[in-house]
Amino acid sequence: MELLKVSSQSKPKLVAGAIAAVLRTGEGVEIQAIGAAAVNQAVKSIAVARGYVIPNEIDLVCYPTFSQLEVDGAEKTSIKFVIENRK
Amino acid sequence: MELLKVSSQSKPKLVAGAIAAVLRTGEGVEIQAIGAAAVNQAVKSIAVARGYVIPNEIDLVCYPTFSQLEVDGAEKTSIKFVIENRK
């Protein structure tokens, strides 16, 4: 599954476009975010993407999971969103 | 659908317990959050809740939407998560 990394600076509409493009191929996509501001941008991106793919008869659903990452030698907990067509 | 309000001070395990309790009745549940810190707590709660209901054969999925609220006379944009069993 493709993995997109979202930061606090990411633009929701751009990330939403990328999510929608993957979903339209019939695949799922994962989004990774570290920290509250990045998680917030990820959530906005997913909300926008849902609207983008409704005309394609894609019922976007997701679920968040915790995932451990190593960043500059330190353990960090990130949130990973798995995004799929519900069917 | 039941609506839970989550703030930046909400405890993810407690919110997760409430989400799980509703899903086990066969209903869906909505979570409302205003601001990045509250959205982050909501996402953590959903991630924890997913683990709580897996033994009940509930495949928790969600999707975020924007919703307009009036708080103290001012318009605010909140994030509403709709949480359901994928079935």
Side-chain angles (χ1 to χ4, degrees):
Chain A
M1 211 181 258
E2 195 166 334
L3 177 70
L4 305 174
K5 293 181 183 179
V6 170
S7 79
S8 60
Q9 306 299 314
S10 296
K11 302 268 178 280
K13 284 185 184 175
L14 292 180
V15 178
I19 294 170
V22 178
L23 290 178
R24 288 185 190 118
T25 69
E27 297 294 312
V29 55
E30 294 181 347
I31 288 191
Q32 188 181 82
I34 301 173
V39 167
N40 193 41
Q41 294 308 88
V43 167
K44 286 186 201 167
S45 303
I46 297 167
V48 173
R50 182 171 166 80
Y52 286 176
V53 298
I54 284 177
N56 307 112
E57 292 179 14
I58 294 169
D59 182 11
L60 181 161
V61 293
C62 67
Y63 58 86
T65 61
F66 297 103
S67 84
Q68 293 299 119
L69 287 182
E70 205 179 297
V71 179
D72 299 331
E75 278 275 290
K76 292 219 176 188
T77 300
S78 76
I79 294 283
K80 193 176 71 181
F81 294 91
V82 180
I83 305 170
E84 299 166 323
N85 186 357
R86 182 195 307 246
K87 34 154 219 242
Chain B
M1 211 182 255
E2 194 165 336
L3 176 69
L4 305 174
K5 293 180 184 179
V6 170
S7 79
S8 60
Q9 306 298 313
S10 297
K11 301 268 178 278
K13 284 186 184 174
L14 292 181
V15 179
I19 294 169
V22 178
L23 290 177
R24 287 184 190 118
T25 69
E27 298 293 314
V29 55
E30 293 181 346
I31 288 192
Q32 188 180 84
I34 300 174
V39 167
N40 193 41
Q41 294 308 88
V43 167
K44 286 186 202 168
S45 303
I46 296 167
V48 174
R50 182 170 165 80
Y52 285 177
V53 298
I54 284 177
N56 307 112
E57 293 179 14
I58 294 169
D59 181 11
L60 182 160
V61 291
C62 68
Y63 58 87
T65 61
F66 297 102
S67 85
Q68 293 299 119
L69 286 182
E70 204 179 297
V71 179
D72 298 332
E75 278 274 291
K76 291 220 177 189
T77 300
S78 76
I79 294 284
K80 193 175 73 181
F81 294 90
V82 179
I83 305 168
E84 299 167 323
N85 186 356
R86 183 194 311 240
K87 30 164 205 259

